[in-house]
Amino acid sequence: MGGLILATALTLLFLPALYAAWFRVKKPEPAAREASTPAV
């Protein structure tokens, strides 16, 4: 039971945070994204 809880916590919390830190994932800035998209 404890192993399942630990594996779930690692999968849902730790690994995505590690991936974001390793590959330096940045949040998209809404203002910059709107300015770069051409108006149709």
Side-chain angles (χ1 to χ4, degrees):
M1 186 72 178
L4 287 173
I5 292 171
L6 181 64
T8 301
L10 282 176
T11 303
L12 294 178
L13 301 173
F14 181 71
L15 289 178
L18 186 67
Y19 177 87
W22 184 265
F23 290 104
R24 293 189 177 103
V25 176
K26 297 176 184 170
K27 291 183 182 178
E29 297 179 10
R33 200 173 85 183
E34 289 172 6
S36 65
T37 345
V40 179

